[in-house]
Amino acid sequence: MLKAVAFDMDDTLLSINLSAFIAVFLRDEARLLADISRKNPLSAFAGLVGVLRDLSSNVRDADDARTNRAFFDEEIERRMGIPLTDPVIADAFEFFEREVLPHCNDPVIGARPRAGAHQAVELLLERGMRIALLTNPSFSRSCIECRMAWGDMLDMPFELVTCMENSTRCKPSPRYYLEAIGALGLEPEEVLMVGNDPKRDFPVPDCGIQTAYVGIGSPDRALWSGSMEAFAAQFGLIEERFNERHERGFSKLAQDVSRARNPFQN
């Protein structure tokens, strides 16, 4: 039965122009890399983008158990010759992400709490649900906490916040989801994932985690689809459907959902 709810962050609990944020982040971190290595900024930008692309695409051997942080650091050093683990260099990036990046939330990025997000979290806590923040761990903890602050989430009692430092894969790898759920001491069938990205917030291949979808459209795999405000208002119905799926068997219900729309969808 349902014991915990895991939330995605960007455009789930946090309204944000994510493309604009990533553009600013990459530009400024590439400048740091270029200054440190005395390389052309365009070359540093290309190198950074290449490493992050491979990280996000899970271009790893199956037996590679390195954290995303270790993978990122080692690939930057291998490709660009910059030892990010050097204390002086590490401090420079930490300073940027802790002290400079938080001031980059301009009108274009427009980061703010998503309507209904705080109500949803408060409701779950009142109902005794455990909560976690399963944001894609292609960023450091410092960078993730920057965006959490923009969404007024730093005081939310998440039992786990995934990030580069505590994850070995990125979404939608089932290994990422199973490692996070395992860290909570739970089984996949006890957790509801809430997210807005049909390509990342549903594990591929499926590993038994049900997902409530708060993005555009209504994916067939979704337990429920609607806005975050509707999620808060209809959580009782969502929990009932979650437990119904659990009782009937997730694999059978996946076939049912492909043949009929969710009766609770908005």
PDB file of all heavy atoms in Angstrom, residues 130-144:
ATOM      1  N   ARG A 130       5.256   9.745   3.976  1.00  0.00           N
ATOM      2  CA  ARG A 130       6.660  10.104   3.864  1.00  0.00           C
ATOM      3  C   ARG A 130       6.865  10.790   2.507  1.00  0.00           C
ATOM      4  O   ARG A 130       6.188  10.459   1.535  1.00  0.00           O
ATOM      5  CB  ARG A 130       7.539   8.868   3.973  1.00  0.00           C
ATOM      6  CG  ARG A 130       7.362   8.136   5.292  1.00  0.00           C
ATOM      7  CD  ARG A 130       8.043   6.775   5.270  1.00  0.00           C
ATOM      8  NE  ARG A 130       9.483   6.892   5.111  1.00  0.00           N
ATOM      9  CZ  ARG A 130      10.312   5.839   4.991  1.00  0.00           C
ATOM     10  NH1 ARG A 130       9.812   4.609   4.976  1.00  0.00           N
ATOM     11  NH2 ARG A 130      11.616   6.015   4.853  1.00  0.00           N
ATOM     12  N   ILE A 131       7.786  11.752   2.427  1.00  0.00           N
ATOM     13  CA  ILE A 131       8.007  12.457   1.170  1.00  0.00           C
ATOM     14  C   ILE A 131       9.496  12.490   0.826  1.00  0.00           C
ATOM     15  O   ILE A 131      10.358  12.485   1.715  1.00  0.00           O
ATOM     16  CB  ILE A 131       7.454  13.896   1.206  1.00  0.00           C
ATOM     17  CG1 ILE A 131       8.119  14.721   2.320  1.00  0.00           C
ATOM     18  CG2 ILE A 131       5.942  13.879   1.365  1.00  0.00           C
ATOM     19  CD1 ILE A 131       7.771  16.204   2.261  1.00  0.00           C
ATOM     20  N   ALA A 132       9.767  12.493  -0.470  1.00  0.00           N
ATOM     21  CA  ALA A 132      11.136  12.588  -0.976  1.00  0.00           C
ATOM     22  C   ALA A 132      11.134  13.480  -2.206  1.00  0.00           C
ATOM     23  O   ALA A 132      10.106  13.659  -2.863  1.00  0.00           O
ATOM     24  CB  ALA A 132      11.676  11.206  -1.321  1.00  0.00           C
ATOM     25  N   LEU A 133      12.300  14.045  -2.526  1.00  0.00           N
ATOM     26  CA  LEU A 133      12.451  14.886  -3.708  1.00  0.00           C
ATOM     27  C   LEU A 133      13.367  14.161  -4.688  1.00  0.00           C
ATOM     28  O   LEU A 133      14.589  14.140  -4.510  1.00  0.00           O
ATOM     29  CB  LEU A 133      13.037  16.250  -3.336  1.00  0.00           C
ATOM     30  CG  LEU A 133      13.063  17.297  -4.452  1.00  0.00           C
ATOM     31  CD1 LEU A 133      11.644  17.660  -4.897  1.00  0.00           C
ATOM     32  CD2 LEU A 133      13.802  18.550  -4.007  1.00  0.00           C
ATOM     33  N   LEU A 134      12.762  13.556  -5.699  1.00  0.00           N
ATOM     34  CA  LEU A 134      13.530  12.808  -6.692  1.00  0.00           C
ATOM     35  C   LEU A 134      13.699  13.661  -7.948  1.00  0.00           C
ATOM     36  O   LEU A 134      13.117  13.402  -9.001  1.00  0.00           O
ATOM     37  CB  LEU A 134      12.847  11.476  -7.018  1.00  0.00           C
ATOM     38  CG  LEU A 134      13.333  10.271  -6.182  1.00  0.00           C
ATOM     39  CD1 LEU A 134      13.132  10.521  -4.697  1.00  0.00           C
ATOM     40  CD2 LEU A 134      12.632   8.999  -6.616  1.00  0.00           C
ATOM     41  N   THR A 135      14.489  14.721  -7.797  1.00  0.00           N
ATOM     42  CA  THR A 135      14.832  15.571  -8.927  1.00  0.00           C
ATOM     43  C   THR A 135      16.008  14.941  -9.667  1.00  0.00           C
ATOM     44  O   THR A 135      16.840  14.259  -9.059  1.00  0.00           O
ATOM     45  CB  THR A 135      15.170  16.993  -8.446  1.00  0.00           C
ATOM     46  OG1 THR A 135      15.471  17.822  -9.565  1.00  0.00           O
ATOM     47  CG2 THR A 135      16.356  17.002  -7.499  1.00  0.00           C
ATOM     48  N   ASN A 136      16.070  15.139 -10.978  1.00  0.00           N
ATOM     49  CA  ASN A 136      17.115  14.487 -11.771  1.00  0.00           C
ATOM     50  C   ASN A 136      18.503  14.857 -11.237  1.00  0.00           C
ATOM     51  O   ASN A 136      18.840  16.047 -11.155  1.00  0.00           O
ATOM     52  CB  ASN A 136      16.990  14.909 -13.243  1.00  0.00           C
ATOM     53  CG  ASN A 136      17.624  13.892 -14.170  1.00  0.00           C
ATOM     54  OD1 ASN A 136      17.722  12.710 -13.852  1.00  0.00           O
ATOM     55  ND2 ASN A 136      18.044  14.345 -15.340  1.00  0.00           N
ATOM     56  N   PRO A 137      19.319  13.865 -10.855  1.00  0.00           N
ATOM     57  CA  PRO A 137      20.576  14.151 -10.164  1.00  0.00           C
ATOM     58  C   PRO A 137      21.753  14.446 -11.091  1.00  0.00           C
ATOM     59  O   PRO A 137      22.855  13.922 -10.914  1.00  0.00           O
ATOM     60  CB  PRO A 137      20.804  12.866  -9.362  1.00  0.00           C
ATOM     61  CG  PRO A 137      20.248  11.796 -10.245  1.00  0.00           C
ATOM     62  CD  PRO A 137      19.033  12.424 -10.898  1.00  0.00           C
ATOM     63  N   SER A 138      21.529  15.320 -12.058  1.00  0.00           N
ATOM     64  CA  SER A 138      22.617  15.752 -12.934  1.00  0.00           C
ATOM     65  C   SER A 138      23.216  17.073 -12.453  1.00  0.00           C
ATOM     66  O   SER A 138      24.064  17.657 -13.132  1.00  0.00           O
ATOM     67  CB  SER A 138      22.108  15.903 -14.375  1.00  0.00           C
ATOM     68  OG  SER A 138      20.976  16.743 -14.434  1.00  0.00           O
ATOM     69  N   PHE A 139      22.769  17.532 -11.281  1.00  0.00           N
ATOM     70  CA  PHE A 139      23.300  18.740 -10.656  1.00  0.00           C
ATOM     71  C   PHE A 139      23.801  18.416  -9.251  1.00  0.00           C
ATOM     72  O   PHE A 139      23.357  17.454  -8.621  1.00  0.00           O
ATOM     73  CB  PHE A 139      22.214  19.819 -10.549  1.00  0.00           C
ATOM     74  CG  PHE A 139      21.742  20.356 -11.868  1.00  0.00           C
ATOM     75  CD1 PHE A 139      20.587  19.875 -12.458  1.00  0.00           C
ATOM     76  CD2 PHE A 139      22.454  21.354 -12.523  1.00  0.00           C
ATOM     77  CE1 PHE A 139      20.129  20.373 -13.662  1.00  0.00           C
ATOM     78  CE2 PHE A 139      22.009  21.869 -13.734  1.00  0.00           C
ATOM     79  CZ  PHE A 139      20.854  21.370 -14.306  1.00  0.00           C
ATOM     80  N   SER A 140      24.691  19.265  -8.746  1.00  0.00           N
ATOM     81  CA  SER A 140      25.205  19.110  -7.386  1.00  0.00           C
ATOM     82  C   SER A 140      24.125  19.437  -6.364  1.00  0.00           C
ATOM     83  O   SER A 140      23.111  20.065  -6.681  1.00  0.00           O
ATOM     84  CB  SER A 140      26.401  20.033  -7.159  1.00  0.00           C
ATOM     85  OG  SER A 140      25.961  21.383  -7.119  1.00  0.00           O
ATOM     86  N   ARG A 141      24.366  19.030  -5.125  1.00  0.00           N
ATOM     87  CA  ARG A 141      23.437  19.358  -4.046  1.00  0.00           C
ATOM     88  C   ARG A 141      23.294  20.874  -3.907  1.00  0.00           C
ATOM     89  O   ARG A 141      22.190  21.384  -3.688  1.00  0.00           O
ATOM     90  CB  ARG A 141      23.935  18.750  -2.728  1.00  0.00           C
ATOM     91  CG  ARG A 141      23.081  19.073  -1.498  1.00  0.00           C
ATOM     92  CD  ARG A 141      21.766  18.342  -1.518  1.00  0.00           C
ATOM     93  NE  ARG A 141      20.896  18.722  -0.417  1.00  0.00           N
ATOM     94  CZ  ARG A 141      20.202  17.864   0.328  1.00  0.00           C
ATOM     95  NH1 ARG A 141      20.284  16.569   0.096  1.00  0.00           N
ATOM     96  NH2 ARG A 141      19.416  18.282   1.300  1.00  0.00           N
ATOM     97  N   SER A 142      24.391  21.610  -4.059  1.00  0.00           N
ATOM     98  CA  SER A 142      24.335  23.066  -3.929  1.00  0.00           C
ATOM     99  C   SER A 142      23.419  23.674  -4.979  1.00  0.00           C
ATOM    100  O   SER A 142      22.606  24.568  -4.680  1.00  0.00           O
ATOM    101  CB  SER A 142      25.734  23.670  -4.069  1.00  0.00           C
ATOM    102  OG  SER A 142      26.603  23.182  -3.075  1.00  0.00           O
ATOM    103  N   CYS A 143      23.530  23.188  -6.211  1.00  0.00           N
ATOM    104  CA  CYS A 143      22.711  23.721  -7.297  1.00  0.00           C
ATOM    105  C   CYS A 143      21.241  23.359  -7.105  1.00  0.00           C
ATOM    106  O   CYS A 143      20.353  24.165  -7.370  1.00  0.00           O
ATOM    107  CB  CYS A 143      23.227  23.173  -8.625  1.00  0.00           C
ATOM    108  SG  CYS A 143      22.426  23.881 -10.068  1.00  0.00           S
ATOM    109  N   ILE A 144      20.984  22.162  -6.619  1.00  0.00           N
ATOM    110  CA  ILE A 144      19.611  21.740  -6.365  1.00  0.00           C
ATOM    111  C   ILE A 144      19.011  22.549  -5.219  1.00  0.00           C
ATOM    112  O   ILE A 144      17.851  22.983  -5.278  1.00  0.00           O
ATOM    113  CB  ILE A 144      19.561  20.225  -6.092  1.00  0.00           C
ATOM    114  CG1 ILE A 144      19.798  19.474  -7.421  1.00  0.00           C
ATOM    115  CG2 ILE A 144      18.232  19.814  -5.458  1.00  0.00           C
ATOM    116  CD1 ILE A 144      20.001  17.997  -7.277  1.00  0.00           C
TER     117      ILE A 144
END
